Amino acid sequence: DEMEALLRQIEGPAAPRADLRPAIRRLEARLLEQRAGEMIAAQLVDFGKQDGVTEFEEAHQANPVEMRLNDDMWEAEAAGEIVIPRRPVLVPCVSNFSHFL
């Protein structure tokens, strides 16, 4: 049964600590720099968003702040100041995303 398999995965061992920040940052930069127009168009088609440009401008402003927070948490965890559990979680699917936009 699919649900039982999901629950076995969730209850299994925690994921190892791996620094994925550089890879994620490269991917994000590539998407924002090379695919911005396509992503804005997809938001318009999929969700009826008419101001995707502003969202990208906000992302360019917010991303450095989020990166610094991630870096600070990574360093605090490495120093033993905090513990970040890496247990998988089950997140139900939103069937009608437009209600949340």
Side-chain angles (χ1 to χ4, degrees), residues 14 19 22 29 31 46 49 52-53 59 66 77 79-82 85 97 100:
D19 188 359
L31 286 172
D46 294 343
K49 292 202 171 211
V53 173
E66 293 176 1
E77 184 186 35
E81 298 168 1
I82 62 173
F97 190 69
F100 299 94

Side-chain angles (χ1 to χ4, degrees), residues 18-29:
D19 188 359
L20 301 176
R21 292 172 299 157
I24 296 298
R25 289 174 184 178
R26 283 191 304 273
L27 174 62
E28 186 175 61

Side-chain angles (χ1 to χ4, degrees), residues 4 7 58 60 62 66 72 80 82 84 87-88 93-94 96:
E4 290 175 7
L7 291 174
E58 291 170 349
H60 277 289
E66 293 176 1
D72 290 347
I82 62 173
I84 300 174
R87 294 181 302 270
C93 176
V94 175
N96 189 347

